[in-house]
C-alpha cells in the first residue's frame, strides 16, 4: 500500500440518476472524514454541483484534479472523468446515466490498477442501463474479476462480525443448481478463508456452509446435491486446513442465529444469503469483493430511484463501506507484517467441537 497512515480512497459515483452522489456529498460534508482518508471522487463538477443543491446543509469542499500528484489530503479531490454537460434526471433510468456510471467506474479502476488510489468504494449502478459493448457485466464483482484477471472472486456482505458470502451471484434461479459444483464451492471456501485471515485479521476462520435444497436435502429426500457435491467439497476443504462445517438447512440456521458462532457463512445463491443478511444487518451492511489484489467495498443497497434527488437517502451503509475499506487496507498491511508466523495446522478435534457446538 502506498499511503499507509491515511489511505487514498477512490469513490465511483454510480448511476448519476440514483442516490450515489447524494451519499457522497453527505458523507464528505463532515470534514472529520478527511482525518481518516484522502477521498478522490470520480465524476464531474457539474453533476456534483447539481446534487449539492438537493442536499440540505451540504458542506462539501472539493478541488478539481487531473493529476494524482496534486492530491489535497485536507479536502475532497474531484477527478473530472468528463467535461460535457449531461442531463441529470433523478429517479429516471436512462442510457446516458448508465454510460457515465460506467465511465466513472472504469476511470476509478484504472487508477486502482496503477496504485494511484489505495482502495475503491463503489456507489450503486443499475445493471440494465450500464450494459454496452464496452461494459457487458452483470455487476461490479464480475467486472473487477475481469479487470484484475483473477480466476475467481467472492461476493461477501459484511456487518460487523456477521458475514455472508455467495457461491453464485446474479444468475437466474432456474440456472443455480448447475452452477453448484464441488470445484466452485471449494474455490469460494479457499478465497473466503484467505480473505478472513488477510482482510479481517482472523487467524483460524470458522465457516458455515449452507445446503442448496430445503432442509439441506433431508438426507437425499429433497435433492441430492448436499450428499454428492456439498459434503465432498467441505471434506476436501478440511483436508486443506479450512475450518468449514455443514451443510446446514438455511432457514433453521438463520432463525436460530447459528451464524453468531461463525466468522462467515457460505450461501449457495443470492437470495438464500442476502435476504436474511439484509433483514438482520439493519441497514449497515457492506458489499466486499474478496479475492482481489485490491480492496473494493460498496453499500449493500441499489440506486434507490424512488428517493433519488429528494435528500432522503440513509448514508449508514455508504459510510460503513468507506470505514470498512480503510480498515481492510490497514489489516492487509498488518497481515503482510505478520506473515513471519504462518498459521498452525488446525487440530481435527477443533472441527468436531465446532460441529457439536453449532448444531
Amino acid at each position: 500500500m502506498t499511503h499507509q497512515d491515511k489511505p487514498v480512497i477512490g469513490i465511483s459515483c454510480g448511476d448519476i440518476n440514483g442516490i450515489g452522489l447524494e451519499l457522497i456529498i453527505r458523507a464528505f460534508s463532515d470534514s472529520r472524514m478527511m482525518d481518516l482518508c484522502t477521498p478522490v471522487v470520480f465524476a464531474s463538477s457539474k453533476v456534483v454541483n447539481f446534487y449539492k443543491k438537493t442536499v440540505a446543509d451540504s458542506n462539501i469542499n472539493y478541488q478539481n484534479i487531473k493529476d494524482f500528484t496534486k492530491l489535497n489530503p485536507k479536502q475532497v479531490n474531484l477527478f473530472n472523468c468528463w467535461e460535457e454537460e449531461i442531463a441529470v434526471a433523478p429517479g429516471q433510468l436512462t442510457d446516458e446515466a448508465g454510460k457515465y456510471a460506467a465511465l466513472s467506474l472504469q476511470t476509478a479502476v484504472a487508477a486502482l490498477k496503477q496504485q494511484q488510489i489505495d482502495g475503491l468504494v463503489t456507489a450503486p449502478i443499475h445493471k440494465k442501463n450500464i450494459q454496452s459493448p464496452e461494459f457487458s457485466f452483470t455487476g461490479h464483482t464480475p467486472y473487477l474479476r475481469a479487470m484484475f484477471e483473477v480466476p475467481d472472486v467472492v461476493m461477501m456482505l459484511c456487518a460487523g462480525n456477521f458475514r455472508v458470502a455467495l457461491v453464485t451471484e446474479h444468475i437466474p434461479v432456474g440456472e443455480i443448481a448447475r452452477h453448484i459444483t464441488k470445484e466452485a464451492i471449494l474455490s469460494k471456501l479457499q478465497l473466503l478463508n484467505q480473505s478472513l485471515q488477510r482482510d479481517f485479521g482472523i487467524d483460524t476462520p470458522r465457516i458455515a456452509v449452507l445446503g442448496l435444497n430445503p432442509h439441506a436435502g433431508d438426507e437425499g429426500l429433497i435433492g441430492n446435491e448436499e450428499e454428492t457435491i456439498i459434503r465432498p467439497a467441505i471434506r476436501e476443504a478440511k483436508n486443506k486446513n479450512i475450518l468449514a462445517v455443514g451443510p446446514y438447512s438455511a432457514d433453521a440456521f438463520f432463525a436460530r442465529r447459528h451464524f453468531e458462532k461463525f466468522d462467515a457463512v457460505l450461501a449457495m445463491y443470492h437470495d438464500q444469503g442476502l435476504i436474511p443478511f439484509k433483514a438482520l444487518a439493519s441497514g449497515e451492511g457492506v458489499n466486499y469483493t474478496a479475492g482481489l489484489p485490491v480492496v473494493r467495498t460498496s453499500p449493500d443497497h441499489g440506486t434507490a430511484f424512488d428517493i433519488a434527488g429528494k435528500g432522503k437517502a440513509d448514508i449508514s451503509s455508504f459510510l460503513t463501506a468507506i470505514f470498512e475499506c480503510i480498515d481492510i487496507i490497514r489489516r492487509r498491511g498488518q497481515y503482510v507484517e505478520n506473515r513471519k508466523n504462518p498459521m498452525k495446522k488446525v487440530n481435527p478435534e477443533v472441527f468436531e467441537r465446532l460441529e457439536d457446538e453449532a448444531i
Side-chain angles (χ1 to χ4, degrees):
M1 194 188 76
T2 49
H3 312 88
Q4 185 82 38
D5 295 331
K6 193 174 155 187
V8 176
I9 304 297
I11 299 108
S12 61
C13 67
D15 192 297
I16 61 166
N17 292 339
I19 59 171
L21 282 150
E22 177 190 334
L23 296 173
I24 291 166
I25 290 164
R26 288 176 60 197
F28 292 107
S29 286
D30 186 338
S31 61
R32 292 174 299 179
M33 295 294 286
M34 267 52 77
D35 296 335
L36 304 175
C37 66
T38 300
V40 182
V41 177
F42 293 85
S44 91
S45 53
K46 290 164 186 165
V47 175
V48 171
N49 290 338
F50 174 94
Y51 277 100
K52 267 180 79 173
K53 294 171 190 153
T54 72
V55 177
D57 305 319
S58 162
N59 191 31
I60 190 169
N61 291 307
Y62 68 85
Q63 69 159 11
N64 291 299
I65 62 159
K66 274 288 188 186
D67 179 351
F68 286 94
T69 64
K70 305 282 196 303
L71 292 178
N72 184 338
K74 295 185 177 173
Q75 68 179 148
V76 176
N77 299 272
L78 179 61
F79 190 91
N80 277 275
C81 304
W82 64 87
E83 299 293 341
E84 61 268 26
E85 290 276 358
I86 57 174
V88 182
Q92 301 299 309
L93 181 67
T94 68
D95 290 343
E96 191 172 50
K99 172 185 169 184
Y100 288 99
L103 183 56
S104 169
L105 177 61
Q106 288 160 339
T107 311
V109 168
L112 193 59
K113 288 184 86 166
Q114 291 160 24
Q115 299 184 332
Q116 292 164 323
I117 57 177
D118 298 317
L120 175 62
V121 179
T122 56
I125 57 174
H126 194 284
K127 291 175 181 61
K128 186 161 191 274
N129 71 349
I130 202 167
Q131 297 300 317
S132 73
E134 294 78 40
F135 193 98
S136 56
F137 299 91
T138 57
H140 287 109
T141 305
Y143 173 69
L144 290 161
R145 173 183 168 180
M147 289 302 99
F148 287 93
E149 299 176 337
V150 291
D152 199 7
V153 292
V154 179
M155 180 175 170
M156 175 165 39
L157 278 289
C158 315
N161 293 324
F162 181 24
R163 304 176 189 91
V164 176
L166 305 177
V167 176
T168 61
E169 297 153 17
H170 300 123
I171 62 172
V173 171
E175 296 177 17
I176 290 169
R178 68 184 178 87
H179 288 275
I180 301 299
T181 64
K182 182 178 140 189
E183 293 72 27
I185 295 166
L186 192 58
S187 173
K188 301 296 183 184
L189 282 171
Q190 288 175 295
L191 288 174
L192 182 54
N193 189 66
Q194 181 188 49
S195 177
L196 291 167
Q197 292 170 343
R198 180 175 64 162
D199 302 330
F200 295 94
I202 302 165
D203 288 338
T204 311
R206 299 175 165 206
I207 303 170
V209 182
L210 302 183
L212 172 64
N213 298 295
H215 304 181
D218 257 348
E219 298 184 10
L221 290 174
I222 317 172
N224 63 2
E225 285 87 354
E226 285 74 18
E227 303 306 318
T228 61
I229 297 169
I230 301 174
R231 284 188 198 281
I234 292 170
R235 276 197 298 272
E236 194 160 329
K238 288 178 179 178
N239 291 337
K240 294 180 183 293
N241 211 30
I242 297 169
L243 198 54
V245 186
Y248 291 103
S249 175
D251 57 347
F253 182 85
F254 288 109
R256 295 172 188 162
R257 302 188 74 86
H258 287 323
F259 59 85
E260 292 175 348
K261 299 173 183 175
F262 293 91
D263 299 302
V265 182
L266 183 65
M268 293 297 114
Y269 58 95
H270 185 283
D271 285 11
Q272 182 190 55
L274 298 201
I275 289 173
F277 178 86
K278 292 186 179 186
L280 294 163
S282 64
E284 293 192 10
V286 172
N287 183 346
Y288 176 56
T289 308
L292 290 173
V294 293
V295 179
R296 174 262 171 168
T297 63
S298 77
D300 73 345
H301 54 71
T303 52
F305 284 148
D306 55 323
I307 57 168
K310 297 178 182 175
K312 293 181 179 178
D314 182 346
I315 65 167
S316 307
S317 180
F318 188 74
L319 279 175
T320 309
I322 297 169
F323 299 147
E324 193 70 83
C325 188
I326 295 166
D327 288 345
I328 291 171
I329 289 167
R330 294 215 170 104
R331 286 192 292 258
R332 277 196 178 188
Q334 290 163 358
Y335 177 78
V336 171
E337 287 293 309
N338 297 338
R339 282 302 295 277
K340 297 146 192 156
N341 302 310
M343 188 183 80
K344 302 184 192 75
K345 186 157 178 63
V346 179
N347 187 318
E349 290 176 10
V350 176
F351 286 111
E352 292 164 19
R353 192 164 65 247
L354 177 58
E355 285 174 314
D356 290 341
E357 286 173 4
I359 291 169

